[in-house]
PDB file of all heavy atoms in Angstrom:
ATOM      1  N   ASN A 359     147.566 102.134  32.842  1.00  0.00           N
ATOM      2  CA  ASN A 359     148.076 103.332  32.283  1.00  0.00           C
ATOM      3  C   ASN A 359     147.949 103.377  30.802  1.00  0.00           C
ATOM      4  O   ASN A 359     148.304 104.422  30.139  1.00  0.00           O
ATOM      5  CB  ASN A 359     149.537 103.585  32.734  1.00  0.00           C
ATOM      6  CG  ASN A 359     150.462 102.464  32.202  1.00  0.00           C
ATOM      7  OD1 ASN A 359     150.291 101.877  31.093  1.00  0.00           O
ATOM      8  ND2 ASN A 359     151.448 102.081  33.065  1.00  0.00           N
ATOM      9  N   LEU A 360     147.489 102.230  30.247  1.00  0.00           N
ATOM     10  CA  LEU A 360     147.205 102.198  28.760  1.00  0.00           C
ATOM     11  C   LEU A 360     148.454 102.073  27.851  1.00  0.00           C
ATOM     12  O   LEU A 360     148.367 101.526  26.720  1.00  0.00           O
ATOM     13  CB  LEU A 360     146.364 103.379  28.163  1.00  0.00           C
ATOM     14  CG  LEU A 360     144.863 103.133  28.418  1.00  0.00           C
ATOM     15  CD1 LEU A 360     144.120 104.438  27.767  1.00  0.00           C
ATOM     16  CD2 LEU A 360     144.207 101.969  27.747  1.00  0.00           C
ATOM     17  N   THR A 361     149.637 102.470  28.304  1.00  0.00           N
ATOM     18  CA  THR A 361     150.811 102.511  27.393  1.00  0.00           C
ATOM     19  C   THR A 361     151.337 101.103  27.047  1.00  0.00           C
ATOM     20  O   THR A 361     152.084 101.008  26.119  1.00  0.00           O
ATOM     21  CB  THR A 361     151.891 103.432  28.009  1.00  0.00           C
ATOM     22  OG1 THR A 361     152.248 102.877  29.362  1.00  0.00           O
ATOM     23  CG2 THR A 361     151.527 104.817  28.080  1.00  0.00           C
ATOM     24  N   ASN A 362     150.901 100.159  27.745  1.00  0.00           N
ATOM     25  CA  ASN A 362     151.267  98.758  27.331  1.00  0.00           C
ATOM     26  C   ASN A 362     150.162  98.006  26.744  1.00  0.00           C
ATOM     27  O   ASN A 362     150.317  96.792  26.527  1.00  0.00           O
ATOM     28  CB  ASN A 362     151.698  97.955  28.666  1.00  0.00           C
ATOM     29  CG  ASN A 362     152.252  96.587  28.366  1.00  0.00           C
ATOM     30  OD1 ASN A 362     153.181  96.433  27.577  1.00  0.00           O
ATOM     31  ND2 ASN A 362     151.660  95.602  29.034  1.00  0.00           N
ATOM     32  N   MET A 363     149.111  98.643  26.445  1.00  0.00           N
ATOM     33  CA  MET A 363     147.900  97.984  25.826  1.00  0.00           C
ATOM     34  C   MET A 363     148.097  97.569  24.399  1.00  0.00           C
ATOM     35  O   MET A 363     148.879  98.176  23.619  1.00  0.00           O
ATOM     36  CB  MET A 363     146.741  99.018  25.994  1.00  0.00           C
ATOM     37  CG  MET A 363     145.379  98.336  25.732  1.00  0.00           C
ATOM     38  SD  MET A 363     144.997  97.060  26.878  1.00  0.00           S
ATOM     39  CE  MET A 363     144.442  97.882  28.390  1.00  0.00           C
ATOM     40  N   THR A 364     147.528  96.452  23.987  1.00  0.00           N
ATOM     41  CA  THR A 364     147.592  95.949  22.652  1.00  0.00           C
ATOM     42  C   THR A 364     146.164  95.773  22.080  1.00  0.00           C
ATOM     43  O   THR A 364     145.193  95.760  22.826  1.00  0.00           O
ATOM     44  CB  THR A 364     148.391  94.645  22.461  1.00  0.00           C
ATOM     45  OG1 THR A 364     147.554  93.716  23.215  1.00  0.00           O
ATOM     46  CG2 THR A 364     149.698  94.731  23.008  1.00  0.00           C
ATOM     47  N   ARG A 365     146.059  95.638  20.827  1.00  0.00           N
ATOM     48  CA  ARG A 365     144.799  95.465  20.147  1.00  0.00           C
ATOM     49  C   ARG A 365     144.156  94.207  20.682  1.00  0.00           C
ATOM     50  O   ARG A 365     142.904  94.165  21.024  1.00  0.00           O
ATOM     51  CB  ARG A 365     145.015  95.345  18.636  1.00  0.00           C
ATOM     52  CG  ARG A 365     143.762  95.288  17.884  1.00  0.00           C
ATOM     53  CD  ARG A 365     143.834  95.399  16.348  1.00  0.00           C
ATOM     54  NE  ARG A 365     142.453  95.447  15.884  1.00  0.00           N
ATOM     55  CZ  ARG A 365     141.698  96.567  15.820  1.00  0.00           C
ATOM     56  NH1 ARG A 365     142.393  97.727  16.029  1.00  0.00           N
ATOM     57  NH2 ARG A 365     140.536  96.498  15.373  1.00  0.00           N
ATOM     58  N   SER A 366     144.897  93.107  20.786  1.00  0.00           N
ATOM     59  CA  SER A 366     144.215  91.840  21.166  1.00  0.00           C
ATOM     60  C   SER A 366     143.762  91.907  22.605  1.00  0.00           C
ATOM     61  O   SER A 366     142.700  91.412  22.993  1.00  0.00           O
ATOM     62  CB  SER A 366     145.160  90.642  20.955  1.00  0.00           C
ATOM     63  OG  SER A 366     146.268  90.784  21.782  1.00  0.00           O
ATOM     64  N   LYS A 367     144.563  92.629  23.529  1.00  0.00           N
ATOM     65  CA  LYS A 367     144.101  92.744  24.886  1.00  0.00           C
ATOM     66  C   LYS A 367     142.765  93.677  24.908  1.00  0.00           C
ATOM     67  O   LYS A 367     141.850  93.289  25.584  1.00  0.00           O
ATOM     68  CB  LYS A 367     145.116  93.501  25.692  1.00  0.00           C
ATOM     69  CG  LYS A 367     146.380  92.612  25.991  1.00  0.00           C
ATOM     70  CD  LYS A 367     147.293  93.323  26.977  1.00  0.00           C
ATOM     71  CE  LYS A 367     148.504  92.342  27.372  1.00  0.00           C
ATOM     72  NZ  LYS A 367     149.581  92.303  26.487  1.00  0.00           N
ATOM     73  N   LEU A 368     142.721  94.694  24.095  1.00  0.00           N
ATOM     74  CA  LEU A 368     141.573  95.429  24.043  1.00  0.00           C
ATOM     75  C   LEU A 368     140.284  94.696  23.592  1.00  0.00           C
ATOM     76  O   LEU A 368     139.152  94.865  24.045  1.00  0.00           O
ATOM     77  CB  LEU A 368     141.664  96.703  23.129  1.00  0.00           C
ATOM     78  CG  LEU A 368     142.573  97.813  23.688  1.00  0.00           C
ATOM     79  CD1 LEU A 368     143.000  98.859  22.651  1.00  0.00           C
ATOM     80  CD2 LEU A 368     141.891  98.482  24.870  1.00  0.00           C
ATOM     81  N   GLU A 369     140.522  93.771  22.567  1.00  0.00           N
ATOM     82  CA  GLU A 369     139.424  92.903  22.144  1.00  0.00           C
ATOM     83  C   GLU A 369     138.966  92.046  23.240  1.00  0.00           C
ATOM     84  O   GLU A 369     137.685  91.779  23.371  1.00  0.00           O
ATOM     85  CB  GLU A 369     139.880  92.123  20.904  1.00  0.00           C
ATOM     86  CG  GLU A 369     139.997  93.101  19.667  1.00  0.00           C
ATOM     87  CD  GLU A 369     140.673  92.470  18.485  1.00  0.00           C
ATOM     88  OE1 GLU A 369     141.255  91.429  18.618  1.00  0.00           O
ATOM     89  OE2 GLU A 369     140.622  93.093  17.402  1.00  0.00           O
ATOM     90  N   PHE A 370     139.898  91.448  24.028  1.00  0.00           N
ATOM     91  CA  PHE A 370     139.481  90.640  25.141  1.00  0.00           C
ATOM     92  C   PHE A 370     138.608  91.507  26.128  1.00  0.00           C
ATOM     93  O   PHE A 370     137.555  90.994  26.635  1.00  0.00           O
ATOM     94  CB  PHE A 370     140.680  90.047  25.926  1.00  0.00           C
ATOM     95  CG  PHE A 370     140.300  89.224  27.040  1.00  0.00           C
ATOM     96  CD1 PHE A 370     140.075  87.927  26.935  1.00  0.00           C
ATOM     97  CD2 PHE A 370     140.183  89.822  28.354  1.00  0.00           C
ATOM     98  CE1 PHE A 370     139.748  87.094  28.126  1.00  0.00           C
ATOM     99  CE2 PHE A 370     139.798  89.071  29.465  1.00  0.00           C
ATOM    100  CZ  PHE A 370     139.562  87.731  29.322  1.00  0.00           C
ATOM    101  N   LEU A 371     139.066  92.710  26.458  1.00  0.00           N
ATOM    102  CA  LEU A 371     138.363  93.549  27.414  1.00  0.00           C
ATOM    103  C   LEU A 371     136.961  93.843  26.852  1.00  0.00           C
ATOM    104  O   LEU A 371     135.965  93.849  27.568  1.00  0.00           O
ATOM    105  CB  LEU A 371     139.079  94.870  27.659  1.00  0.00           C
ATOM    106  CG  LEU A 371     140.512  94.731  28.220  1.00  0.00           C
ATOM    107  CD1 LEU A 371     141.180  96.096  28.405  1.00  0.00           C
ATOM    108  CD2 LEU A 371     140.434  93.973  29.619  1.00  0.00           C
ATOM    109  N   ARG A 372     136.888  94.164  25.511  1.00  0.00           N
ATOM    110  CA  ARG A 372     135.574  94.410  24.894  1.00  0.00           C
ATOM    111  C   ARG A 372     134.649  93.166  25.077  1.00  0.00           C
ATOM    112  O   ARG A 372     133.507  93.252  25.424  1.00  0.00           O
ATOM    113  CB  ARG A 372     135.807  94.770  23.428  1.00  0.00           C
ATOM    114  CG  ARG A 372     134.478  94.946  22.672  1.00  0.00           C
ATOM    115  CD  ARG A 372     134.684  94.851  21.112  1.00  0.00           C
ATOM    116  NE  ARG A 372     135.198  93.518  20.785  1.00  0.00           N
ATOM    117  CZ  ARG A 372     135.891  93.293  19.756  1.00  0.00           C
ATOM    118  NH1 ARG A 372     136.108  94.222  18.850  1.00  0.00           N
ATOM    119  NH2 ARG A 372     136.300  92.107  19.415  1.00  0.00           N
ATOM    120  N   ASP A 373     135.192  92.012  24.657  1.00  0.00           N
ATOM    121  CA  ASP A 373     134.395  90.800  24.612  1.00  0.00           C
ATOM    122  C   ASP A 373     133.838  90.375  25.987  1.00  0.00           C
ATOM    123  O   ASP A 373     132.798  89.778  26.130  1.00  0.00           O
ATOM    124  CB  ASP A 373     135.148  89.641  24.007  1.00  0.00           C
ATOM    125  CG  ASP A 373     135.483  89.914  22.556  1.00  0.00           C
ATOM    126  OD1 ASP A 373     134.900  90.860  21.984  1.00  0.00           O
ATOM    127  OD2 ASP A 373     136.392  89.142  22.024  1.00  0.00           O
ATOM    128  N   HIS A 374     134.582  90.748  27.036  1.00  0.00           N
ATOM    129  CA  HIS A 374     134.178  90.398  28.401  1.00  0.00           C
ATOM    130  C   HIS A 374     133.721  91.579  29.128  1.00  0.00           C
ATOM    131  O   HIS A 374     133.596  91.483  30.413  1.00  0.00           O
ATOM    132  CB  HIS A 374     135.351  89.741  29.160  1.00  0.00           C
ATOM    133  CG  HIS A 374     135.696  88.392  28.466  1.00  0.00           C
ATOM    134  ND1 HIS A 374     135.188  87.164  28.887  1.00  0.00           N
ATOM    135  CD2 HIS A 374     136.557  88.124  27.401  1.00  0.00           C
ATOM    136  CE1 HIS A 374     135.724  86.238  28.064  1.00  0.00           C
ATOM    137  NE2 HIS A 374     136.513  86.817  27.166  1.00  0.00           N
ATOM    138  N   GLN A 375     133.386  92.699  28.550  1.00  0.00           N
ATOM    139  CA  GLN A 375     132.814  93.884  29.071  1.00  0.00           C
ATOM    140  C   GLN A 375     133.595  94.358  30.320  1.00  0.00           C
ATOM    141  O   GLN A 375     133.028  94.573  31.366  1.00  0.00           O
ATOM    142  CB  GLN A 375     131.425  93.630  29.469  1.00  0.00           C
ATOM    143  CG  GLN A 375     130.583  93.242  28.222  1.00  0.00           C
ATOM    144  CD  GLN A 375     129.143  93.006  28.433  1.00  0.00           C
ATOM    145  OE1 GLN A 375     128.763  92.631  29.556  1.00  0.00           O
ATOM    146  NE2 GLN A 375     128.328  93.406  27.507  1.00  0.00           N
ATOM    147  N   VAL A 376     134.900  94.441  30.131  1.00  0.00           N
ATOM    148  CA  VAL A 376     135.773  95.036  31.188  1.00  0.00           C
ATOM    149  C   VAL A 376     135.863  96.494  30.933  1.00  0.00           C
ATOM    150  O   VAL A 376     136.316  96.944  29.946  1.00  0.00           O
ATOM    151  CB  VAL A 376     137.187  94.393  31.194  1.00  0.00           C
ATOM    152  CG1 VAL A 376     138.044  94.832  32.327  1.00  0.00           C
ATOM    153  CG2 VAL A 376     137.083  92.827  31.177  1.00  0.00           C
ATOM    154  N   CYS A 377     135.500  97.303  31.964  1.00  0.00           N
ATOM    155  CA  CYS A 377     135.670  98.715  31.844  1.00  0.00           C
ATOM    156  C   CYS A 377     137.042  99.120  32.063  1.00  0.00           C
ATOM    157  O   CYS A 377     137.894  98.475  32.740  1.00  0.00           O
ATOM    158  CB  CYS A 377     134.804  99.432  32.860  1.00  0.00           C
ATOM    159  SG  CYS A 377     133.086  99.244  32.561  1.00  0.00           S
TER     160      CYS A 377
END
Side-chain angles (χ1 to χ4, degrees):
N359 60 36
L360 276 180
T361 52
N362 183 55
M363 194 57 84
T364 62
R365 186 173 185 85
S366 65
K367 287 187 174 83
L368 286 170
E369 285 168 351
F370 178 89
L371 299 179
R372 175 199 60 201
D373 295 345
H374 295 269
Q375 299 184 327
V376 182
C377 292

